[in-house]
């Protein structure tokens, strides 16, 4: 998470008000109750926007968040929230139901009805907000699935938790060009639709979104595991509950050649690291190994084929317009 707000750098007497204003302006109007004295309050918040999808990642000391009946009438556009529990536990209360979330669990809740979020152990959470209308689901169905623990016993929810937690942590997607938003938003909405309809038992509505989002979920998984030396077609297929043959077919429909796609992104990471301020802290071969290129000679060859310059020349300054002393 890249924090945009950290109470460690502000006077204790200002912390509650600054946190409240940040949440109100960026996500939703809520009452926030910090049980600790002002000097013990600690909050770190990262914010991101991907099209209509708003993301807030937070780590904080104990807090209770309430969307009161009065506040629930403030917003003209209804929103749906997705809360992902990373560590510890929390409690979600809405519509006469309450659910306990543990690591790997998540729940949804609506902005138009009062709700309470209790973080007695502190906060380690991703909050995602999207317009309720974007899901195009019946209001009754949404009410029925709010404040229900969505977790490991639901296969679709397990896949969605991994995907959305990765999305919330991916700064390059959250702050990237609008083209990235266009590629991410629709599949994200379809995946959430699949979770909610499968949880509700409307299986006929769930199959199409799962297949429609499969390519995006696969490529997101690969990005997350690029540095793993054992990343393979078999492992990727197993992680998504499909055959290797189906994996290649799905990627082919998206114009992706698996080996070429992985190699291009690994090379891009090597290029970025070699040109960075810490590019000389490890050898070129070690940088290649870090991103899956076991053979140093092969790494140099494919790097030069991709960028028209050797890794050493790129690191030493020729690749980005300035000279640095050679080794």
């Amino acid at each position: 998470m890249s924090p945009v707000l950290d109470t460690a750098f502000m006077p204790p007497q200002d912390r509650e008000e600054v946190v409240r204003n940040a949440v109100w302006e960026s996500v939703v109007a809520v009452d926030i109750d910090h049980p600790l004295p002002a000097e013990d309050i600690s909050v770190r918040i990262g914010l991101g926007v991907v099209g209509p999808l708003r993301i807030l990642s937070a780590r904080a000391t104990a807090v209770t968040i309430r969307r009161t009946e009065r506040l629930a009438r403030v917003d003209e556009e209804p929103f749906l929230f997705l809360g992902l529990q990373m560590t510890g536990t929390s409690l979600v209360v809405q519509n006469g139901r309450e659910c306990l979330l543990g690591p790997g669990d998540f729940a949804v809740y609506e902005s138009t009805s009062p709700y309470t979020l209790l973080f007695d152990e502190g906060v380690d959470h991703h909050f995602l907000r999207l317009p309720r209308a974007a899901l195009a689901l019946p209001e009754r169905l949404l009410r029925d699935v709010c404040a229900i623990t969505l977790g490991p016993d639901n296969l679709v929810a397990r896949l969605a938790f991994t995907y959305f937690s990765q999305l919330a942590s991916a700064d390059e997607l959250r702050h990237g060009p609008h083209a990235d938003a266009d590629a991410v938003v629709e599949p994200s909405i379809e995946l959430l639709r699949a979770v909610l309809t499968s949880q509700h038992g409307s299986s006929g509505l769930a199959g199409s979104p799962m297949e429609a989002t499969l390519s995006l979920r696969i490529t997101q998984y690969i990005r997350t595991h690029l540095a793993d030396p054992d990343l393979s077609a078999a492992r990727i297929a197993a992680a998504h509950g499909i055959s290797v043959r189906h994996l290649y077919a799905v990627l082919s429909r998206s114009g992706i050649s698996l080996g070429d796609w992985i190699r291009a992104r690994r090379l891009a990471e090597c290029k970025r690291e070699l040109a960075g301020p810490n590019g000389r802290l490890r050898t070129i071969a070690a940088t290649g190994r870090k991103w899956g290129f076991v053979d140093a000679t092969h790494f140099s060859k494919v790097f030069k084929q991709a960028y028209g310059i050797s890794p050493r020349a790129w690191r030493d300054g020729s690749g980005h317009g300035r000279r640095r002393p050679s080794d």
Side-chain angles (χ1 to χ4, degrees), residues 69-88:
E69 218 169 305
R70 178 182 62 82
L71 293 175
R73 294 194 296 267
V74 170
D75 297 326
E76 294 182 2
E77 181 177 14
F79 291 105
L80 192 75
F81 292 92
L82 178 64
L84 296 95
Q85 186 76 29
M86 304 310 294
T87 62

Side-chain angles (χ1 to χ4, degrees), residues 267 295-307 309 311:
L267 284 171
D295 185 287
T297 302
H298 173 69
F299 169 53
S300 293
K301 180 180 179 181
V302 295
F303 189 99
K304 188 168 185 177
Q305 286 175 342
Y307 301 116
I309 189 172

Side-chain angles (χ1 to χ4, degrees), residues 45 54 65 109 125 162 176 179 182 184 192 195 200 208 221 238 260 263 266 268 274 288 296-297 320:
I45 292 176
R54 189 68 59 91
I65 299 171
Y109 39 96
H125 217 75
T162 300
D182 294 339
V184 169
L192 183 56
V195 173
H200 192 261
S208 177
Y221 177 88
D260 292 343
R263 182 167 55 251
R266 283 176 165 172
L274 289 170
T297 302
H320 41 91

Side-chain angles (χ1 to χ4, degrees), residues 158-235:
R158 284 206 310 268
L159 295 170
F161 180 89
T162 300
Y163 169 79
F164 283 113
S165 59
Q166 291 172 357
L167 176 63
S169 303
D171 286 344
E172 69 275 12
L173 284 176
R174 302 197 312 180
H175 306 295
H178 293 295
D180 287 341
D182 294 339
V184 169
V185 171
E186 185 174 351
S188 298
I189 290 172
E190 290 299 319
L191 179 56
L192 183 56
R193 287 185 76 244
V195 173
L196 301 183
T197 53
S198 65
Q199 180 68 31
H200 192 261
S202 305
S203 56
L205 295 173
S208 177
M210 284 300 292
E211 185 65 23
T213 61
L214 184 54
S215 178
L216 179 68
R217 288 185 283 117
I218 288 170
T219 53
Q220 188 69 17
Y221 177 88
I222 295 171
R223 286 191 180 96
T224 303
H225 297 278
L226 267 181
D228 295 357
D230 62 344
L231 185 64
S232 65
R235 176 181 162 185

Side-chain angles (χ1 to χ4, degrees), residues 234-261:
R235 176 181 162 185
I236 297 166
H240 293 84
I242 60 176
S243 68
V244 171
R245 183 175 180 180
H246 190 186
L247 169 69
Y248 281 116
V250 168
L251 294 178
S252 177
R253 288 197 294 270
S254 298
I256 294 174
S257 170
L258 181 61
D260 292 343
W261 199 88

